[in-house]
Amino acid sequence: MFRRLMILIILLVAFGVTLFAATLEETLQSLSGDAAKSYVKPMVTAFGSDMNGGWFHKAPKAKLFGWDFEVGIVMMGTMFDDKDKDFNVTGRFRFTQDQAEQLAQSYAGEDFYDALVQTLSSQSFRIGIAGPTITGPSYNETTGENAIVGYFPAQPVTFTYDGSSMTQTVPAQAIPIQFGGLLEDLPLLPLAAPQLSIGTIAGTQLSFRYLPDTEITPELGSIKYMGYGIQHNPAFWIPFKMPVDLALSFFTQNLDLGTMVKSSATTYGLNVSKRFGLKLMSVTPYAGISAESSKMKFHYDYITNSTMVGVPPTLPIEFEVKGKNTSRMTAGLSFRLALVNLNFDYNIAKYPSASMGLMLNFGW
């Protein structure tokens, strides 16, 4: 039964991440420059927070040798910050041919029109960009609200026409860029993964996470997720018994969404726990404080829709965004009944989160 539950959860997670990755690629293909960075920022922090959560629910015993083997599922969820549902920045943006034609519409019919459009679609311009992030509200087709909009200021644009340099002033305009957020209906970003922990040698325990590779699309590639970490109880070196179990911890992991997104996260900290009850029927409160970091690297093709000579129909885009969470405080409870261990915890951070673990524990 437990094995079937694990397989079902793994399949659901793989399917959900696969669907999300394919949709994210389609959205990013219409975003470039600072608009793309601002759009995905909330997701970067939430993903990193999820990956850094759920690792700990009890400290390893301060023993030279002990048998403590756990295998099961951890599930994490990070709440989004309402302050990050929209953005307003000034940055660089590359217009598609359709957007360039809209910018140059006041010169439609002029002999130099095509040359002006080509210049507008072959360079990055500094503009104001505002709209919903990936967690913001979706576009309303009736009211026309909530689109990501680029605010192009009136400015002279120099281009080459008929072998000569020419300058024309392009009037100020608002250009719709993209519609709404992909995650607007989610109160939090969920993630789950199988986890295995084994110990204990000199108060030390090792933990591992892994998701089997799952193809998103032949073009994008596969989902890949792997993480590992170590916990050490420094009380092993102390000659007297401590009132609580301690753990110095370090965990790191990588999650790749095909060739489009490469995500990494790392956390290290100090945790404490105390078991009450018998080994096979107990309650263990636990708490901790940790430092963490996360980042995502994005690589995709921006679609320009250009049919003009010298302007490619797609352009490779690459950028990196760091998560906002840099520390967290954790408090939780772990319950054991025979071989089954169930734990819940809450994490206080810039993006707060919660995690749950369902484990089979063969330790004694």
Side-chain angles (χ1 to χ4, degrees):
M1 178 67 183
F2 187 82
R3 179 174 176 271
R4 291 179 180 177
L5 178 61
M6 283 188 63
I7 293 174
L8 176 60
I9 293 176
I10 291 170
L11 289 175
L12 288 174
V13 171
F15 175 77
V17 175
T18 298
L19 184 63
F20 170 73
T23 307
L24 177 62
E25 183 203 26
E26 182 179 347
T27 301
L28 287 178
Q29 284 177 337
S30 61
L31 293 173
S32 74
D34 294 287
K37 292 181 183 180
S38 298
Y39 181 77
V40 300
K41 271 185 180 180
M43 180 189 73
V44 174
T45 300
F47 249 116
S49 176
D50 280 350
M51 292 168 68
N52 281 327
W55 284 100
F56 174 86
H57 64 88
K58 63 182 176 65
K61 293 297 182 181
K63 294 181 178 180
L64 178 59
F65 294 107
W67 177 247
D68 192 359
F69 180 86
E70 276 191 336
V71 61
I73 290 286
V74 288
M75 290 161 279
M76 299 77 70
T78 296
M79 279 70 83
F80 297 119
D81 190 340
D82 287 341
K83 296 178 182 178
D84 289 336
K85 289 188 178 295
D86 52 48
F87 68 94
N88 192 332
V89 299
T90 298
R92 310 294 297 184
F93 187 81
R94 180 77 172 258
F95 294 105
T96 66
Q97 181 173 327
D98 293 340
Q99 292 164 346
E101 289 173 352
Q102 181 177 337
L103 286 170
Q105 62 185 331
S106 59
Y107 294 105
E110 299 286 352
D111 293 341
F112 57 78
Y113 172 78
D114 287 343
L116 176 58
V117 169
Q118 182 172 15
T119 297
L120 288 170
S121 62
S122 62
Q123 300 178 16
S124 293
F125 289 87
R126 191 167 183 81
I127 64 173
I129 310 167
T133 64
I134 194 170
T135 63
S138 63
Y139 177 65
N140 187 316
E141 293 184 3
T142 302
T143 63
E145 297 177 344
N146 299 328
I148 297 176
V149 176
Y151 298 96
F152 183 88
Q155 58 186 290
V157 176
T158 300
F159 55 95
T160 300
Y161 171 67
D162 200 20
S164 301
S165 179
M166 179 178 289
T167 299
Q168 294 292 335
T169 298
V170 177
Q173 295 176 60
I175 303 293
I177 295 174
Q178 180 53 269
F179 306 139
L182 296 179
L183 305 177
E184 62 165 320
D185 295 324
L186 295 179
L188 52 77
L189 183 68
L191 184 66
Q195 181 168 303
L196 179 149
S197 298
I198 188 168
T200 305
I201 299 177
T204 302
Q205 183 183 72
L206 300 176
S207 297
F208 304 91
R209 287 180 183 173
Y210 174 74
L211 273 178
D213 292 1
T214 304
E215 186 178 84
I216 303 171
T217 65
E219 295 78 20
L220 274 181
S222 301
I223 300 168
K224 298 179 181 179
Y225 180 35
M226 178 174 288
Y228 62 90
I230 185 171
Q231 295 184 76
H232 175 69
N233 190 336
F236 174 78
W237 307 100
I238 299 175
F240 54 86
K241 184 174 178 61
M242 297 287 290
V244 295
D245 290 314
L246 303 175
L248 297 172
S249 61
F250 171 81
F251 302 101
T252 186
Q253 55 261 273
N254 294 280
L255 190 156
D256 295 348
L257 303 181
T259 58
M260 180 181 57
V261 177
K262 295 187 180 298
S263 178
S264 61
T266 299
T267 180
Y268 55 91
L270 172 64
N271 304 293
V272 297
S273 65
K274 177 68 176 180
R275 190 188 72 192
F276 296 94
L278 305 175
K279 289 185 177 180
L280 296 182
M281 188 170 63
S282 62
V283 177
T284 304
Y286 60 94
I289 184 169
S290 57
E292 64 179 287
S293 63
S294 62
K295 63 182 179 181
M296 275 188 170
K297 295 181 179 179
F298 293 82
H299 175 85
Y300 60 95
D301 289 329
Y302 174 62
I303 299 177
T304 67
N305 287 321
S306 178
T307 58
M308 296 186 169
V309 177
V311 182
T314 62
L315 289 171
I317 298 290
E318 290 187 10
F319 62 87
E320 179 180 296
V321 179
K322 294 183 179 180
K324 290 185 176 181
N325 279 6
T326 57
S327 63
R328 72 170 67 194
M329 291 188 293
T330 302
L333 282 173
S334 181
F335 304 90
R336 181 172 179 181
L337 180 61
L339 298 180
V340 178
N341 198 98
L342 181 65
N343 71 279
F344 304 89
D345 61 54
Y346 182 78
N347 303 276
I348 300 173
K350 188 171 183 63
Y351 275 43
S353 62
S355 64
M356 181 182 79
L358 178 61
M359 301 284 178
L360 287 181
N361 189 312
F362 300 96
W364 60 80

